[in-house]
Amino acid sequence: MYICLCKGLTESDIRQAGEAGLTEPERLITRFGWDDSDCCGRCADHIDCAATLAAESLPCFAACPARSSSLT
Amino acid sequence: MQAKDGVIELLNKILTADLTAVNQYFIHAKMCGNWGYERLHAKIRERSIDEMKDADDLIGHLLYLEGVPNMQRLSTVQVGETVPEQLKVDLKAEQDMLKILSDGIVHCTKVGDFTTRHMLEDMAEDVDAHIDWIETQIETIKQVGLENYLAQQMKKEAS
Ligand code: FES
Ligand SMILES: [Fe+2]
Ligand SMILES: [Fe+2]
């Protein structure tokens, strides 16, 4: 799926950012330019969705013992 | 003519869904064309134009009821990266549309607006046909496999 049409980003773009350790909302916003004036603002409004997707892509995610507790 | 209670809001809500669908189908149609799937391109483009015609009717009816058609608002356009993803989100869009229309039909009955109700009933019929077509595609993919299905989409349908 495309997740951001303003910047032409797909789910895998977000996953790649996650794999590289970019998971915090602010850093994702800066990385993808979601605060630019040419963006509709949807992605910044729903930043938690992108942050979750990115966090799930961290290499340590599958093995992370804190995972079940941190996600509930 | 003065609109019955809540009918303008209702019509604008449907208009938003239709304008969103116009864009969603149009991009999907163009992507399919770009991949060489001529049959899908033609079919989905037609879908997009159907939604435009719904928007046309809604805007006309809103003006007739002395409302202001909201051309500004769009919901999220869902774009799939592959044909199966596209079919999935298009199906979801039609199902959401059906829900809005059904609620609208109930509302129109309650406030006694039978002209609007009739219009929504016609639209709901189209949605049923759209859903039917999408479900058939998804089922065919399941049966013949994606590759075979896509190979069949390269040629235009004989009309
Ligand atoms: S869709 Fe991502 S900012 Fe508009
Ligand atoms: Fe429609
Ligand atoms: Fe439709």
Side-chain angles (χ1 to χ4, degrees), chain B residues 2-26:
Chain B
Q2 199 77 81
K4 295 266 174 35
D5 202 31
V7 171
I8 298 292
E9 291 75 12
L10 170 69
L11 288 168
N12 265 321
K13 196 171 165 194
I14 302 168
L15 178 60
T16 296
D18 268 310
L19 292 175
T20 308
V22 169
N23 287 5
Q24 183 165 318
Y25 294 163
F26 205 70

Side-chain angles (χ1 to χ4, degrees), chain A residues 1-2 5 10-12 42, chain B residues 74-76 78-79 81 85:
Chain A
M1 288 293 298
Y2 278 89
L5 293 183
T10 63
E11 282 172 321
S12 64
R42 276 193 174 86
Chain B
L74 275 193
S75 314
T76 304
Q78 303 271 3
V79 181
E81 283 180 80
E85 273 184 5

Side-chain angles (χ1 to χ4, degrees), chain B residues 10-141:
Chain B
L10 170 69
L11 288 168
N12 265 321
K13 196 171 165 194
I14 302 168
L15 178 60
T16 296
D18 268 310
L19 292 175
T20 308
V22 169
N23 287 5
Q24 183 165 318
Y25 294 163
F26 205 70
I27 177 72
H28 284 166
K30 296 299 284 187
M31 286 169 82
C32 285
N34 185 49
W35 290 324
Y37 304 138
E38 272 315 314
R39 177 180 173 270
L40 282 177
H41 170 253
K43 279 282 179 190
I44 299 169
R45 188 172 189 279
E46 208 178 285
R47 277 301 88 85
S48 177
I49 293 166
D50 284 346
E51 304 301 346
M52 194 75 225
K53 287 180 189 152
D54 284 347
D56 183 329
D57 291 344
L58 288 164
I59 294 163
H61 195 53
L62 271 158
L63 291 172
Y64 168 74
L65 293 174
E66 291 167 33
V68 180
N70 188 341
M71 305 301 286
Q72 191 74 262
R73 193 173 56 194
L74 275 193
S75 314
T76 304
V77 178
Q78 303 271 3
V79 181
E81 283 180 80
T82 61
V83 169
E85 273 184 5
Q86 294 181 347
L87 290 169
K88 194 175 133 198
V89 288
D90 288 353
L91 181 61
K92 174 79 169 63
E94 292 290 347
Q95 286 164 340
D96 291 348
M97 180 74 90
L98 194 57
K99 172 84 173 76
I100 300 174
L101 287 172
S102 317
D103 292 351
I105 290 165
V106 172
H107 181 80
C108 289
T109 311
K110 203 160 61 192
V111 297
D113 182 344
F114 299 102
T115 320
T116 304
R117 187 180 87 177
H118 187 75
M119 180 176 204
L120 303 193
E121 281 168 348
D122 281 348
M123 287 176 184
E125 241 174 73
D126 283 349
V127 173
D128 277 333
H130 287 184
I131 288 181
D132 209 54
W133 183 82
I134 300 171
E135 284 179 341
T136 306
Q137 310 312 301
I138 294 173
E139 189 50 40
T140 309
I141 292 173

